[in-house]
Amino acid sequence: MNLYNAITALSLVINFLISLTIIFKNREKPEKSIGWLLIFMLIPFLGLILYFFLGRNWKSRNLKERLSPEMIDFVKTSLEEYAGPYKDMAKMVTIGNGSPMFSYNNITLYKDGVEKFEALIHDLESATHHIHMEYYIVKSDDIGRRIFDTLIRKSKEGIKVRFIMDKVGGRRFDKEYLKEIRAAGIELVTYSAHFASISKYIDTSINYRNHRKIIIIDGKIGYLGGNNIGDEYTGKSKFGYWRDTHARIEGEFVLGLQALFFDDFFSVLSFNEEAKKWEYDKQRQKYKREEDLSLYFPKNTIENYLPMQLVYNGPGTPYSTVEQLFLKMITSAKEKIYISSPYFIPSDSLMQALKVAVLSGIDVKIVFPEQYDHPPVGHASMTYIKELLDVGVEFYLYDKESFYHNKAIVVDTQISTFGTANFDVRSLYYNYEVNAVVYDELTSAKMEGLFYDDAAASRMLTLDEYNRRSIYTHLKESFFRIFSLLF
């Protein structure tokens, strides 16, 4: 037996053993199991490599799935019990994440990165005590350097600056500029999966990402939404105008963002120190745990009653609180459900809930990009869209000269959610995400207004148009659907 045959035989045996594990031990979702079985059958040796990088949940015990008791003590100081019409939903979120109701807040919505970044840089310049930022994609391009130059300047002024960067999302960041940032006193830590790195150069965490995008300034101002840090979010890319909702928040909800940030920051810090990663050898001395955390949780001064909760999840939990929120919102609807998402690969539960809603007479509308930034995901999404077109859901394809990255749901003009979670299985099961759920009619009406603006900039996709497309297009989309839970 030559070497090639020996390697092939060994890979087939390993594939068989992994297949048994997927089916009988891990009990993965049927679609995911079928996808991996097909990969092992079609490309045995390459399939092993793909499974090693994409199939294993390496970080099941990294970031916390609930606010820690220490953080809960800081965010409960001035909160009132919620007595509104969605008490059952609020209770579900509290049980899932430990998030209380944050009753008094102000929200400013931004429809794109141009609006958001201008407001953000002004707030960064005005910081007097600290700046905390956590982002998935971080680039050292024009907007990236404008932000980090501001952070460097504030750090040299004595402002405490901390930053969490995802290792996958920050892989293109200029390494020399990174040294300059750390030399200025900014405590920047890089998040990667638990047991993900087998060497300095090989990282197996590419399928599990910290997708959160949050900012806290002086414990009084918070930012949450879909914009990462990169020029494309200001419209400077081949995709053209980039439509994406981000929010500036003042009030008690900022305390929740602060608590989540501290839990994430110290979890990443502890893990990186424990793993003795090369770039963190002296981190313990540089990045010390705060002795007086109360300074980061100032007393709230906002008097506007606008109840909100923090909803977040990660791959380590046995269930997804974000998925539970989406399901609860859909099943609570009495008149209408408006969904915005750049990717549309829902779980079976969400698909059935939407079908039941529209068949019950609920007005269900969805805006989706006509231009894809990740074609395999876009192609797979179209097959799910077809299923909903069959039962009467209205689909709108956003301007093909732009990209639609908006992530929001509005129900009955009464309740809404926005944040980092897409309407897809990656956000529900693989990524660390964070959303705000807003129990406020005025804010939900504003969100609904943005949805109508998006629909007006879109064209409706009909079932007849979908069915008239080429056989090749249908086959391509069906092919990618097989692997949709692996993306």
Side-chain angles (χ1 to χ4, degrees):
M1 178 182 292
N2 59 36
L3 181 61
Y4 173 79
N5 290 335
I7 293 175
T8 301
L10 180 61
S11 65
L12 288 173
V13 171
I14 297 175
N15 284 347
F16 177 73
L17 295 175
I18 293 175
S19 299
L20 292 179
T21 301
I22 291 173
I23 295 171
F24 296 109
K25 185 175 184 298
N26 294 351
R27 296 182 179 179
E28 299 282 9
K29 293 180 178 295
E31 298 93 332
K32 185 174 182 180
S33 297
I34 291 170
W36 280 116
L37 293 177
L38 281 173
I39 288 177
F40 292 154
M41 181 178 67
L42 296 173
I43 44 175
F45 182 69
L46 181 58
L48 282 177
I49 298 174
L50 290 174
Y51 184 76
F52 184 67
F53 279 87
L54 301 177
R56 299 295 299 146
N57 185 350
W58 296 101
K59 61 182 185 181
S60 59
R61 296 183 299 277
N62 200 341
L63 301 185
K64 294 180 173 62
E65 305 297 339
R66 294 171 56 85
L67 291 180
S68 64
E70 183 180 25
M71 292 299 120
I72 284 289
D73 288 341
F74 287 114
V75 302
K76 278 188 173 180
T77 54
S78 61
L79 308 182
E80 297 180 359
E81 184 177 352
Y82 173 70
Y86 294 97
K87 285 183 65 175
D88 54 345
M89 189 181 302
K91 182 177 181 180
M92 180 195 73
V93 173
T94 298
I95 292 173
N97 285 145
S99 173
M101 183 64 69
F102 301 99
S103 302
Y104 297 94
N105 301 281
N106 288 325
I107 298 178
T108 302
L109 298 174
Y110 303 115
K111 65 181 180 180
D112 56 42
V114 175
E115 292 183 350
K116 173 248 182 143
F117 287 125
E118 287 303 316
L120 171 61
I121 291 172
H122 177 268
D123 285 334
L124 293 177
E125 294 280 10
S126 303
T128 60
H129 183 260
H130 68 271
I131 298 170
H132 290 162
M133 302 179 69
E134 180 172 2
Y135 270 88
Y136 170 51
I137 293 177
V138 186
K139 296 182 179 179
S140 49
D141 51 15
D142 290 345
I143 189 62
R145 286 181 180 269
R146 188 177 172 194
I147 289 172
F148 277 100
D149 285 348
T150 303
L151 296 180
I152 289 171
R153 187 164 58 253
K154 297 303 291 186
S155 180
K156 290 180 177 179
E157 291 175 4
I159 306 302
K160 174 69 74 173
V161 181
R162 296 183 175 94
F163 200 109
I164 304 172
M165 179 190 299
D166 184 85
K167 185 171 184 178
V168 175
R171 65 189 182 279
R172 297 179 182 175
F173 200 90
D174 184 282
K175 299 301 185 291
E176 291 302 314
Y177 190 42
L178 198 60
K179 292 178 182 178
E180 182 181 340
I181 290 168
R182 286 183 168 133
I186 294 174
E187 298 183 358
L188 190 150
V189 298
T190 305
Y191 173 82
S192 62
H194 195 48
F195 294 135
S197 298
I198 60 176
S199 78
K200 173 180 172 180
Y201 304 102
I202 300 177
D203 183 9
T204 61
S205 67
I206 60 176
N207 204 37
Y208 300 93
R209 308 161 191 170
N210 182 2
H211 198 241
R212 293 169 182 164
K213 308 162 187 68
I214 60 177
I215 301 168
I216 307 97
I217 300 170
D218 294 339
K220 299 177 181 179
I221 298 171
Y223 282 80
L224 173 65
N227 292 137
N228 289 291
I229 297 177
D231 284 345
E232 63 266 38
Y233 296 90
T234 63
K236 298 178 182 178
S237 76
K238 64 181 181 179
F239 298 106
Y241 177 70
W242 193 287
R243 166 73 178 96
D244 206 344
T245 296
H246 219 94
R248 180 184 187 273
I249 305 160
E250 296 177 284
E252 293 177 338
F253 184 79
V254 180
L255 303 180
L257 291 178
Q258 186 81 289
L260 179 61
F261 177 88
F262 268 124
D263 275 345
D264 286 354
F265 185 85
F266 289 127
S267 292
V268 174
L269 186 65
S270 297
F271 168 68
N272 287 338
E273 291 174 340
E274 179 184 338
K276 294 183 170 58
K277 289 180 180 287
W278 65 276
E279 68 264 43
Y280 293 103
D281 285 344
K282 298 181 180 179
Q283 196 167 249
R284 188 178 302 278
Q285 288 75 34
K286 290 171 60 179
Y287 301 168
K288 295 181 179 179
R289 181 179 290 273
E290 285 290 333
E291 295 182 359
D292 190 357
L293 286 174
S294 65
L295 297 176
Y296 293 83
F297 294 86
K299 184 177 180 180
N300 174 57
T301 59
I302 302 299
E303 298 180 352
N304 179 51
Y305 183 71
L306 196 161
M308 304 173 64
Q309 272 183 300
L310 195 68
V311 184
Y312 61 98
N313 64 265
T317 182
Y319 55 86
S320 168
T321 308
V322 172
E323 181 184 29
Q324 290 179 340
L325 171 67
F326 289 178
L327 276 171
K328 188 66 174 175
M329 291 181 70
I330 292 168
T331 57
S332 298
K334 294 179 173 58
E335 297 179 2
K336 51 192 174 182
I337 303 166
Y338 296 160
I339 299 172
S340 305
S341 182
Y343 318 110
F344 194 81
I345 302 179
S347 63
D348 289 340
S349 299
L350 289 173
M351 279 292 285
Q352 291 305 315
L354 287 172
K355 290 177 181 179
V356 169
V358 72
L359 292 172
S360 302
I362 305 297
D363 178 25
V364 180
K365 292 182 172 67
I366 299 173
V367 175
F368 182 78
E370 185 158 11
Q371 179 183 196
Y372 307 148
D373 66 334
H374 298 297
V377 183
H379 297 323
S381 296
M382 292 302 292
T383 65
Y384 294 92
I385 289 172
K386 197 273 183 184
E387 286 188 41
L388 295 179
L389 286 172
D390 283 338
V391 297
V393 173
E394 292 184 14
F395 264 93
Y396 296 85
L397 298 178
Y398 194 76
D399 177 16
K400 65 181 179 180
E401 301 299 324
S402 307
F403 183 64
Y404 195 71
H405 198 244
N406 193 39
K407 319 159 193 297
I409 303 175
V410 185
V411 171
D412 294 340
T413 328
Q414 298 291 319
I415 187 170
S416 55
T417 184
F418 60 85
T420 70
N422 300 304
F423 207 85
D424 71 345
V425 293
R426 168 162 294 286
S427 284
L428 302 180
Y429 307 135
Y430 297 152
N431 290 344
Y432 286 100
E433 305 282 5
V434 57
N435 265 39
V437 55
V438 185
Y439 304 86
D440 178 67
E441 184 175 355
L442 179 59
T443 303
S444 298
K446 291 178 181 178
M447 295 286 292
E448 188 173 295
L450 290 175
F451 182 90
Y452 284 133
D453 290 343
D454 295 342
S458 308
R459 67 179 187 85
M460 184 182 290
L461 174 66
T462 65
L463 180 60
D464 181 62
E465 178 189 347
Y466 184 96
N467 290 332
R468 283 190 284 106
R469 297 176 310 149
S470 69
I471 294 176
Y472 169 75
T473 299
H474 287 288
L475 289 175
K476 177 176 61 177
E477 292 171 352
S478 297
F479 172 80
F480 283 110
R481 173 163 179 157
I482 294 173
F483 306 104
S484 61
L485 294 190
L486 311 183
F487 297 144

